[in-house]
Amino acid sequence: MKDVAARAGVSLGTVSNVLNRPELVSERNRMRVLSAIDALGFVRNEPARQLRGGGSRTLAYVVLDTANPFFTDVATGIEEAAHAAGLALYLCNSGEDGVRESFYLDLLEQQRVEGVLITPVGNDLAVVSRLAARGTPVVLVDHGGGPERCSVTVDDVLGGSLAATHLLETGHERIAFVGGPPSIRQVADRIEGAKQAIARAGTEPLTVLETAALNVAEGRRAGERIAGLPTSRRPTAAFCANDLLAVGLLQQMVRLGLRVPDDLAIVGYDDIVYAEAAAVPLTSVSQPRHLLGRTAAELLLEESRGTAEHVHRQVVFDPELVVRASTNLRTRS
Amino acid sequence: MKDVAARAGVSLGTVSNVLNRPELVSERNRMRVLSAIDALGFVRNEPARQLRGGGSRTLAYVVLDTANPFFTDVATGIEEAAHAAGLALYLCNSGEDGVRESFYLDLLEQQRVEGVLITPVGNDLAVVSRLAARGTPVVLVDHGGGPERCSVTVDDVLGGSLAATHLLETGHERIAFVGGPPSIRQVADRIEGAKQAIARAGTEPLTVLETAALNVAEGRRAGERIAGLPTSRRPTAAFCANDLLAVGLLQQMVRLGLRVPDDLAIVGYDDIVYAEAAAVPLTSVSQPRHLLGRTAAELLLEESRGTAEHVHRQVVFDPELVVRASTNLRTRS
DNA sequence: GAACGTCCTTGAAACGTTTCATCAGCTGGC
DNA sequence: GCCAGCTGATGAAACGTTTCAAGGACGTTC
């Protein structure tokens, strides 16, 4: 910047004014400074700027798993809102690793970002609380955090209930839940919702087929277990904790010669793009991913800009059921 | 930091030494400083640190599209290498938007990151060149950029050739390519490779079914077109520019009552996790995504740390064919 | 007991901005 | 011709670190 000032024949302060309050500078000097900047290829030094001025104009989202399409859609929603407010968004991938998560949180705090959005790895929010206590605004995404924190979630109990209700209405009385481990809050809530709906209907209680993880391979394994049951005890419908499981389950059914939805109806969760693209398009519980992200970003902006007393809010969205061929007998070819 | 020094009863310099060269400080003072840091909840101010010291210990990857599993896998590879070198990785999503891309590049340059990895939006590398010319190390990912730049790519001509050769070897003589627009370098190269293989075999020339984009919906549309052809002119095999197209094509075939691979064999590209999970598991050309990312990060580190004369390298990986049921008659149920 | 090392600690300078009080030069009014 | 008021430019201070030359305390050696 010193060089720019020298080349334009003005003082340091004037260059700074051109950059920050151009209306205070005369036309002539503004031009000279701008052309000097251009000629020298000058690039503002953001760290120095921040040191003096404050704001970093940057938000960060610590993602649980970038490989999961659900989270990347949420991230897109966040970015949209951030961009509208003139802020940049950095994505950090914790990869479900608590150590990496806190590594990134430390870094972001040191970097003095304007605020942090996070889908935390576990249920222990100690690191997050520390961050917030020291003054960095934090919003939890797809994870509740009590009244002293902003959060945005989707009602998983309702989602479970929607799925089970739909299966009951299409005539199923023997329903299995496929998913796990139940220590994941989302899984537990979805089971709970399904159980409630079934209790209301008064039919046979929900069977839970626990899986070790929420991926395609586990879905296939669950498919083997279901197919191995005697017809009399085999469920006529399966509600999967997410679409990856549902896809695996569907694939295994086809392989073993069982028909979907005739022999087994399937409901997934998340409504990822591949759910519709499956050979038998999957009925799935859809979450407003985009809106989830956008709302989270807006809460964060509100918290970070709100001068003094900001009221923490916990926003809960409702999921929706998307019915497709995997449960709908009439649309079968 | 001043407060910490005061509370510990030492000078500023000593606090800094505890943080950066603890071996120079006496046991007693080190303890006092550390406990003062703890008590005060002191967090290093990274911008100030950078202003004085230099390095930002941060890399960034400007991703073309975070919703595409291919790129998130590449990102995972990058992160692994960055982490091993003690650096953090920020992900920025250009979302195939040139304006956003250059917004992020500017920001990263101002932020003085150690280096930038990028999968550029278009073929115009002007912004990238400017960045590099000013001294920020840049590595292109999945995009070639001439000898004056480091880049990491996969040989798409070879990939196209592998796919076509496999189809020829399994007895197909009427092969269609599904994909587009051909202005995308990857698409053009894959067509080129397939054409070469077919020319070598001397069979009927490749038909190209151009699509407007590389997604599932376009795949379904292509499926309609293929199914609509009279049997005598209908291809017996389709090579799709990526797996999303292949998934859509497969789905449409099933819907319209055509069998895969009997009536139409299908080969996809990218080998995304959903390729294996399709109801008829897809044969696909697999790219070493993880390795691609790791190598790119290593090149960047080499360039950013290499003191003076760094030789730009263009690394090209070979793709591999993964054969599954969508082309392999023998494994059909 | 003086001279010399070793080991720690210190204070000041520097990094590249922004901000702010001050000042120079003009214009216009009387 | 003088002064008030205004516009625009200026230089210095400040932001929170790191680094480095210099100095202090203490122990060892002759």
Side-chain angles (χ1 to χ4, degrees), chain A residues 193-217:
Chain A
K195 279 189 174 160
Q196 287 176 10
I198 289 172
R200 281 194 296 270
T203 58
E204 203 173 308
L206 185 75
T207 320
V208 174
L209 250 105
E210 202 171 303
T211 63
L214 299 172
N215 54 37
V216 176

Side-chain angles (χ1 to χ4, degrees), chain A residues 136-304:
Chain A
T136 304
V138 177
V139 171
L140 295 174
V141 177
D142 200 32
H143 199 286
E148 74 288 344
R149 183 120 315 129
C150 275
S151 63
V152 183
T153 53
V154 180
D155 188 339
D156 285 299
V157 176
L158 174 58
S161 163
L162 282 175
T165 303
H166 170 65
L167 290 173
L168 292 165
E169 283 173 353
T170 47
H172 295 278
E173 304 205 328
R174 203 153 59 232
I175 301 176
F177 177 89
V178 176
S183 58
I184 299 179
R185 199 260 313 147
Q186 279 85 339
V187 171
D189 284 1
R190 290 167 198 178
I191 292 178
E192 174 61 24
K195 279 189 174 160
Q196 287 176 10
I198 289 172
R200 281 194 296 270
T203 58
E204 203 173 308
L206 185 75
T207 320
V208 174
L209 250 105
E210 202 171 303
T211 63
L214 299 172
N215 54 37
V216 176
E218 283 292 316
R220 282 198 285 257
R221 201 161 305 144
E224 269 169 33
R225 283 199 276 163
I226 290 179
L229 294 171
T231 320
S232 62
R233 289 184 41 225
R234 190 194 298 153
T236 64
F239 167 34
C240 300
N242 78 359
D243 282 342
L244 299 183
L245 285 172
V247 162
L249 176 58
L250 168 61
Q251 186 188 357
Q252 195 64 26
M253 290 295 110
V254 172
R255 272 198 192 155
L256 298 175
L258 292 176
R259 288 164 310 162
V260 174
D262 307 59
D263 296 319
L264 184 78
I266 300 179
V267 178
Y269 210 108
D270 283 350
D271 192 28
I272 62 177
V273 60
Y274 309 99
E276 185 176 2
V280 179
L282 281 173
T283 292
S284 191
V285 178
S286 170
Q287 313 193 58
R289 291 164 281 203
H290 212 249
L291 183 60
L292 198 69
R294 216 173 48 217
T295 308
E298 281 160 6
L299 282 180
L300 186 62
L301 290 171
E302 194 183 304
E303 176 162 355
S304 103

Side-chain angles (χ1 to χ4, degrees), chain B residues 199-218:
Chain B
R200 279 194 296 270
T203 58
E204 206 173 306
L206 187 74
T207 320
V208 174
L209 253 105
E210 202 170 303
T211 63
L214 299 171
N215 54 37
V216 176
E218 283 292 315

Side-chain angles (χ1 to χ4, degrees), chain B residues 172-221:
Chain B
H172 296 279
E173 304 206 329
R174 205 153 57 235
I175 302 175
F177 177 88
V178 176
S183 58
I184 299 179
R185 202 258 313 149
Q186 279 86 339
V187 172
D189 284 0
R190 289 167 199 177
I191 292 178
E192 174 61 25
K195 280 189 173 160
Q196 286 176 10
I198 289 171
R200 279 194 296 270
T203 58
E204 206 173 306
L206 187 74
T207 320
V208 174
L209 253 105
E210 202 170 303
T211 63
L214 299 171
N215 54 37
V216 176
E218 283 292 315
R220 283 198 284 256
R221 200 160 307 145

Side-chain angles (χ1 to χ4, degrees), chain B residues 240-259:
Chain B
C240 298
N242 79 359
D243 282 342
L244 299 181
L245 285 172
V247 163
L249 177 58
L250 168 61
Q251 186 188 358
Q252 197 63 27
M253 291 295 110
V254 173
R255 273 197 191 155
L256 298 175
L258 293 176
R259 290 164 309 163

